[in-house]
Structure formats: structure tokens, C-alpha cells
Amino acid sequence: MKVTRVRQWEAAFGYYNAHYVRIETDDGAYGVSEVGMRRRTRTLSALITELGEYLVGKDATAIEQHHERMWRDSFTGGTLLGQGIAALNNALWDLNARSLGVPVHRLLGGTFRDRVPVYTHARATDTPEGFADGVAERVAQGFTAIKTTLPGFYTKVSSIAHEVPAQVPARQTETEPVPGRVIDRIGDWFAAARDRVGPDVKLMIDCHGRLSVANAIRLCRVLEPYDLAFVEEPVPPDDPAWIREVAARTDIPIATGERWANHYAAAPFLSGGGLAIAQPDVAWCGGISGAQRIAHLAETHAIGVAFHNPFGPLASAAAWHLGATLPNMWLSESMLTPEQLPQWTKYVTDAPVVENGAWVPTQTPGLGPDLDIDAIEANPANYDFDRGGTR
């Protein structure tokens, strides 16, 4: 099978722009994928175009060869490159599985588990009671694991602005002081949620790398009474030593990894100690091939995997097919929230279904979903999402 064409589209997806790719071959086979980008939509599109030009005329079955060459031949690396590679890598996995009439998880070695646990989000809101309400709503929908962002830093946030004013400015750096009362009060949100849903629901917080090491340690001490499943990106993801220092001062598991470009970027964090949960993103770290490498490397250091995945149904399917095959897979993120649910079936057919907080692997060939190209073309990208404004 030789690749004859690589097509791509941009489409507005709620609060960011999604990229959809279709790779076609000379024997009529095709594969599709989806990646997400909250910044640099047109830059990523140009990158996918250039990488697609490399693929045309190549053997569509040589997935790992193309993964390595797209990375090494680009020379400079980086997470943006990982996202472009992911768009093509995931489509190649889908194409090969479709052409053989088997699900992607079959090509990855078969299922290790019959359920892939999935967590969702609840907004921090501006009050502990509002957060507790949101958590209770998600539990009523069948989820047993819920994550939120930092209260006081985020209440209601779009890609480009804080829709509700935050106590901590959106562009405040992690080295600027944060009032101790802001950090201390975050515990009230989790006290309210624990009181509402009890001890068995997993609660998590995503800090988006907004804290210094000292403030991250203080936050963890505040949250320790509430038995969090993990604290995500408590410090910027630039130096594994920062993660180690925070982890050494708390009993709460520390998670990071969404911004890793591939397994080389992940390796210092996985081998350095302190990290409990690895969070590669199948749409950002070079695709299924890159995420599989990270997961296997994490397993050698007794580290679990909780996929970062705030994107749509095709990106989710890629993460969950891989997750079904991994011994050390623990959880996967999803954006199955009231705000994002209308987008879930907007651009694809046969979107994956989550019931009772889990995705059950299917036998549908490929990743499962297929593109509705007419719907995608009717909803072009919104480049206002690329203006930034939130961290």
C-alpha cells in the first residue's frame, strides 16, 4: 500500500480548533485521525502539510519507520513537532487496522483489560459549594474520577480569557508571589466535594504548572487530608528536579507529562524519581507509537499511566485503544462535560461510548470513528482561539 494523498481540515471544537487528517492509499484504503491545538492552529496545519508531503509515495504499512524519520529528519524536535507527527501516526494505525479488518488494539498486542477507566472534569467555580455540585453531577452520570483546575486561578476559562475574574492573574509567572490565603483556601473546595460524594470517588487537581516549588509544596500540604488521586503539573514541566522536590515533601501522588514530545523528553522524568503518574498525550507525543514507548518506559520504573486527553472522539479512541493494551494504564482523561458533549458527535460517526466511567474495547476495525467531512467543512476554525491569554 502506497500513500497517495494526505488530506487535512481545521474545525472549531468548542473552545479550541481540532485538526482532522485522512491518509489515502493506492488500493483504496484510508485512515483518519484527530489532534487538538489550543494555540498555533495555522502553524500546526502547515506542519501536517509538510509531514504529509514526506508520506506521499511511501509504504503505508511502515508505521514505525515513518515515526522515526519524521522526528529525526525534522532535526529540531519539540512538542509542536510531536503533535504533527501524532496526526499522521494515528491515521496510519487506523489505516492499517481498517485494511486488515481488525481494531487498533489488536495490532498493538491485544487487550490487557476489558475496561479502560475514564475520568472527567468539573469546573472549580467561584465557590466550594459550586464545585461540590459539579462533582456530584459527574458522579450521577457514572464517573468515579473527577478533576478540576486551581480554584482562585481558574473559575470559568475559555481559550483566550478568564470569563470570571481570577484572584491570580492569568499571566502571572510561577516565580511571582501567591498570597498564602489563596493556596490555603483551595482545601475548602476539596473538603466540600469529599463531604458531598464520600471517600470512594477519585478527586484530582490540575495546576497547569502555575506554582513555584515552595507554593506547590504548600498546596500539597493543604490538600493531603482529602486523599487526592494525584496533583497534576504542580510546577512547570521544564525540570524533573522540581517534580522530585515536591514529591519528596508530600504523600499525594504527583503527575506530569502532557507536554512531552516523545519518550526522549519523558525519560528524565521517569528515571529521576518522584513521579508517580505519567500523562502522555496520544495527540501530542508523536501519536500511538510515541505514547506506547512512554508507557513501556514508565512501566520499567513502576510508574502508572493516566493519559492526558482533553480532546474529541478520535483522539480519545486512539488513547483508549492503546490504554486497553497496557499493564500500567490507570486512567484516561476525557472532556465528556456538558459544555463539550455537543461537539462529541459533531464531526464523526460512531464516536466511542463511555458508560459507568469506562470505555469497553470494541471490535470495530481501526479506531472506530469515521469523519463526517461535510460537517467539518461547515464549521471552519476560529483563529481567535490562537490569541492566548490563559495559562
Side-chain angles (χ1 to χ4, degrees):
M1 289 190 295
K2 300 291 185 183
V3 175
T4 55
R5 183 163 66 156
V6 177
R7 304 172 67 189
Q8 70 158 311
W9 302 264
E10 306 165 350
F13 197 102
Y15 64 96
Y16 67 91
N17 292 319
H19 296 253
Y20 295 96
V21 168
R22 177 176 161 121
I23 297 176
E24 301 171 355
T25 69
D26 55 1
D27 65 352
Y30 71 92
V32 297
S33 72
E34 166 196 51
V35 297
M37 185 62 181
R38 288 185 60 189
R39 306 286 188 270
R40 309 291 183 264
T41 300
R42 287 158 287 191
T43 304
L44 181 55
S45 291
L47 179 58
I48 293 171
T49 296
E50 291 174 347
L51 293 171
E53 290 170 354
Y54 153 79
L55 271 185
V56 171
K58 303 291 195 305
D59 178 1
T61 69
I63 301 173
E64 297 301 331
Q65 181 188 88
H66 301 321
H67 180 266
E68 194 273 345
R69 289 184 178 172
M70 285 189 286
W71 176 261
R72 287 296 178 204
D73 291 356
S74 297
F75 195 74
T76 53
T79 306
L80 183 61
L81 176 59
Q83 294 169 2
I85 294 172
L88 300 176
N89 182 261
N90 292 342
L92 285 174
W93 279 106
D94 182 60
L95 185 156
N96 278 271
R98 283 178 189 269
S99 69
L100 295 171
V102 299
V104 166
H105 60 71
R106 177 86 170 272
L107 293 190
L108 295 172
T111 55
F112 181 87
R113 63 191 71 251
D114 57 13
R115 297 174 75 255
V116 175
V118 172
Y119 72 84
T120 190
H121 291 241
R123 289 192 184 277
T125 75
D126 55 359
T127 67
E129 295 74 23
F131 173 55
D133 289 343
V135 170
E137 288 173 4
R138 303 298 180 269
V139 172
Q141 294 163 359
F143 290 98
T144 58
I146 296 99
K147 188 174 78 178
T148 194
T149 48
L150 281 167
F153 291 69
Y154 308 94
T155 51
K156 186 177 181 183
V157 181
S158 71
S159 256
I160 58 176
H162 283 256
E163 297 176 20
V164 177
Q167 297 177 54
V168 179
R171 285 195 170 96
Q172 177 166 312
T173 70
E174 70 280 356
T175 55
E176 294 179 76
V178 176
R181 67 181 182 277
V182 173
I183 293 176
D184 293 345
R185 179 133 164 75
I186 291 172
D188 295 344
W189 270 253
F190 288 87
R194 272 281 171 248
D195 184 64
R196 185 72 62 85
V197 300
D200 296 330
V201 173
K202 294 181 179 69
L203 298 177
M204 300 154 286
I205 189 168
D206 184 354
C207 302
H208 288 278
R210 294 291 302 276
L211 301 173
S212 66
V213 169
N215 281 330
I217 292 169
R218 180 169 185 164
L219 174 65
C220 288
R221 287 175 174 167
V222 167
L223 296 177
E224 281 175 354
Y226 308 112
D227 190 25
L228 268 66
F230 61 71
V231 171
E232 177 177 336
E233 275 199 344
V235 291
D238 304 310
D239 190 335
W242 301 341
I243 289 287
R244 287 198 299 272
E245 189 170 354
V246 175
R249 305 283 288 276
T250 182
D251 293 332
I252 302 176
I254 302 300
T256 199
E258 67 183 66
R259 305 188 220 194
W260 292 335
N262 59 12
H263 55 301
Y264 296 112
F269 291 85
L270 298 172
S271 64
L275 187 65
I277 305 293
Q279 297 179 294
D281 190 313
V282 173
W284 283 6
C285 69
I288 290 170
S289 292
Q292 186 182 53
R293 286 169 168 79
I294 291 171
H296 290 333
L297 184 58
E299 186 182 8
T300 68
H301 295 286
I303 293 172
V305 170
F307 286 115
H308 177 262
N309 174 46
F311 302 121
L314 258 172
S316 299
W320 300 344
H321 273 264
L322 175 57
T325 72
L326 298 174
N328 59 329
M329 193 273 172
W330 185 53
L331 274 175
S332 178
E333 185 174 21
S334 77
M335 285 303 291
L336 291 166
T337 63
E339 295 82 8
Q340 286 296 95
L341 275 173
Q343 311 295 327
W344 197 251
T345 56
K346 193 171 184 178
Y347 301 133
V348 303
T349 59
D350 297 321
V353 175
V354 171
E355 294 182 341
N356 298 317
W359 174 73
V360 175
T362 68
Q363 298 304 312
T364 305
L367 291 172
D370 206 347
L371 299 182
D372 184 337
I373 294 172
D374 290 340
I376 293 170
E377 291 179 339
N379 291 274
N382 178 357
Y383 297 122
D384 283 345
F385 293 156
D386 294 338
R387 290 195 286 115
T390 64
R391 291 194 173 199

